[in-house]
Amino acid sequence: MKKTTGTDRSVTQSWRPATRAIRGGTWRSEHGETSEALFLTSGYTYDDAATVAARFAGDQPGMTYSRLQNPTVAMLEERIALMEGAEACRAQASGMAAMTAALLSQLSTGDHCVAARAAFGSCRWLVDHLLPRFGIETTVIDSAVNEEWERAIRPNTRVFFFETPANPTLDIVDLSFVCGLAKSHGIVTVVDNAFATSALQRPMEFGADVVAYSATKLMDGQGRVLAGAVCGSEEWIDEVLLPFQRNTGPNCAPFNAWVVLKGLETLGLRARQQSENALALGKFIEGRVPRMLHPGLESHPQHALAAKQMDAFGPIFSFEVDGRERAHAILDALELVDISNNIGDARSLMCHPASTTHAAMGEEARAEMGVSEGLLRINVGLEDIEDLKEDLDRALGAAGL
Ligand SMILES: *Cc1c(COP(=O)(O)O)cnc(C)c1O
């Protein structure tokens, strides 16, 4: 019997998550390769003129140009969609290409967007600076307070945009409440799920309409390429996202898609182990630093909500010390953990958001979203937990903690 290759939804949807991550979307060529093929091609050829005419008319499936579709990228899109439990997915050049496409493809002059104040720096830039330039009104709220979402709704509100957990304060949004509220007002929810990924949290199970990703982070998982993805219903992807994407071109390169495809095969394992390491390391330093921001710890005000929505709490947490000088002293004393602003990597990385990822937004916006001068964010990797504990113990000690 011929083995299924992973493109038949009637088969792949019956697969359990681990099987989807390994085999979902695999599209074998006539050579029967085991690993997904890397199609480095911008264009395609046709046997005759009628064929190409039929493809351009949409009467015949098949590739026409890699800004519209590429076999390697299509494999990634199918695998991400399956893992997410989404009808459709389109890969993007980066996480920010994904967020920009998810917002600009559906918002127009006169529309209103409500966004979480705690967010990745560039996500805040989209909301604070880009959307208003096109006459799109925005309101930024404390996303952890359900009533603030309700209060911010106007007759022209079209989109809710947020991360959960948020970067770098680990604020949690009540997915059931916020997505339910949006639905009852005809508002589209766009959830940036980069910190958790589908391995740990599937927002569509709570009613989210659109899930957008930086695949640069946990999906790649080894700090190699930039990539992104937008997931949604087939109708939304085809009618809202695709006209924007096909004509503006924020596409994922086939090579980057191939790297992320390989990353997805181990995503579940990495996400669970890194979450376990992050929880152990958080417990190890809690009590020794003035403030912890870790959704997996009882001290996090939204711990119960995080436990309800997430299978595990992810590799990233933050903690606060008294000021920039001490935060920088900790970074400088680390011997194993690298100073780096990337996240999701198998290597442990620490950064000081106020002087890096959140520097450009200015002091006022930082204060409003809780990014203090003493805040440090760590991505906990796959190293031995005892080595990580020793390194933090040494670094905190050197900084007088
Ligand atoms: C990194 C990140 C982004 C941007 O992704 P890029 O791939 O760097 O463009 C967006 N949102 C969140 C939450 C992120 O962590």
Side-chain angles (χ1 to χ4, degrees):
M1 197 179 81
K2 195 167 174 297
K3 292 265 186 281
T4 175
T5 57
T7 51
D8 180 353
R9 277 269 176 126
S10 67
V11 176
T12 56
Q13 278 185 334
S14 71
W15 287 344
R16 292 159 185 86
T19 311
R20 293 182 179 193
I22 302 286
R23 293 178 175 270
T26 305
W27 188 342
R28 285 203 175 115
S29 79
E30 69 271 31
H31 303 297
E33 64 280 355
T34 44
S35 176
E36 297 78 0
L38 172 51
F39 289 92
L40 282 180
T41 183
S42 43
Y44 303 86
T45 61
Y46 317 91
D47 287 341
D48 50 63
T51 301
V52 59
R55 282 200 198 164
F56 271 79
D59 296 335
Q60 192 193 89
M63 307 286 157
T64 53
Y65 189 58
S66 281
R67 176 152 42 74
L68 311 185
Q69 230 189 351
N70 171 280
T72 308
V73 179
M75 285 192 264
L76 174 67
E77 293 168 339
E78 179 63 15
R79 186 168 298 174
I80 292 175
L82 272 175
M83 293 170 75
E84 196 65 45
E87 285 178 11
C89 166
R90 290 290 155 165
Q92 314 290 329
S94 68
M96 287 322 303
M99 303 310 150
T100 306
L103 294 175
L104 285 187
S105 65
Q106 60 180 328
L107 287 166
S108 304
T109 304
D111 289 342
H112 175 237
C113 169
V114 182
R117 71 180 184 195
F120 184 66
S122 293
C123 292
R124 275 299 298 266
W125 184 86
L126 292 183
V127 170
D128 294 343
H129 300 286
L130 186 69
L131 297 183
R133 272 176 42 198
F134 296 97
I136 299 156
E137 300 169 13
T138 62
T139 303
V140 171
I141 60 158
D142 180 351
S143 61
V145 180
N146 286 349
E147 297 72 41
E148 290 213 15
W149 289 100
E150 208 153 7
R151 232 177 286 134
I153 294 174
R154 300 179 192 167
N156 57 340
T157 304
R158 291 277 312 276
V159 169
F160 280 176
F161 177 44
F162 58 90
E163 302 163 16
T164 183
N167 187 354
T169 53
L170 287 300
D171 286 14
I172 307 290
V173 173
D174 186 337
L175 283 167
S176 297
F177 176 84
V178 174
C179 296
L181 176 70
K183 223 159 227 127
S184 69
H185 286 81
I187 296 164
V188 176
T189 40
V190 176
V191 183
D192 179 343
N193 198 33
F195 266 40
T197 76
S198 63
L200 304 179
Q201 171 177 271
R202 290 156 302 281
M204 285 182 177
E205 292 176 0
F206 298 91
D209 298 303
V210 176
V211 179
Y213 279 106
S214 169
T216 314
K217 312 293 170 55
L218 259 180
M219 286 190 184
D220 171 0
Q222 289 163 78
R224 299 166 294 194
V225 297
L226 290 176
V230 180
C231 301
S233 70
E234 207 159 288
E235 187 186 352
W236 187 87
I237 293 282
D238 285 352
E239 288 172 19
V240 180
L241 184 78
L242 270 186
F244 178 89
Q245 178 165 1
R246 292 177 153 204
N247 294 298
T248 59
N251 299 54
C252 184
F255 177 76
N256 292 9
W258 183 85
V259 171
V260 176
L261 263 172
K262 306 318 285 179
L264 289 180
E265 295 180 2
T266 55
L267 173 64
L269 281 174
R270 289 183 285 102
R272 285 192 293 276
Q273 185 61 46
Q274 288 183 239
S275 295
E276 193 180 312
N277 286 358
L279 195 55
L281 200 62
K283 284 179 178 161
F284 179 70
I285 67 165
E286 189 172 39
R288 193 155 159 196
V289 297
R291 184 163 173 243
M292 290 291 296
L293 299 120
H294 190 317
L297 296 174
E298 305 255 344
S299 57
H300 191 287
Q302 297 169 291
H303 170 65
L305 177 61
K308 187 183 115 188
Q309 298 179 172
M310 305 178 76
D311 301 335
F313 302 99
I316 301 142
F317 69 87
S318 296
F319 60 96
E320 213 168 51
V321 295
D322 58 342
R324 179 179 293 217
E325 206 176 319
R326 205 185 299 272
H328 277 191
I330 292 170
L331 286 176
D332 291 342
L334 292 166
E335 290 178 14
L336 179 66
V337 176
D338 292 303
I339 303 174
S340 172
N341 45 289
N342 198 16
I343 53 168
D345 199 295
R347 285 164 180 71
S348 293
L349 311 169
M350 198 187 288
C351 95
H352 179 245
S355 56
T356 57
T357 52
H358 292 69
M361 65 171 42
E363 209 174 319
E364 200 178 319
R366 277 199 300 278
E368 179 204 68
M369 65 188 275
V371 177
S372 70
E373 286 294 304
L375 191 76
L376 286 166
R377 185 196 68 193
I378 183 168
N379 167 74
V380 184
L382 291 173
E383 301 94 337
D384 192 289
I385 185 65
E386 297 308 321
D387 289 327
L388 293 172
K389 284 180 183 170
E390 279 173 26
D391 200 37
L392 277 215
D393 180 44
R394 176 172 44 230
L396 293 175
L401 289 165

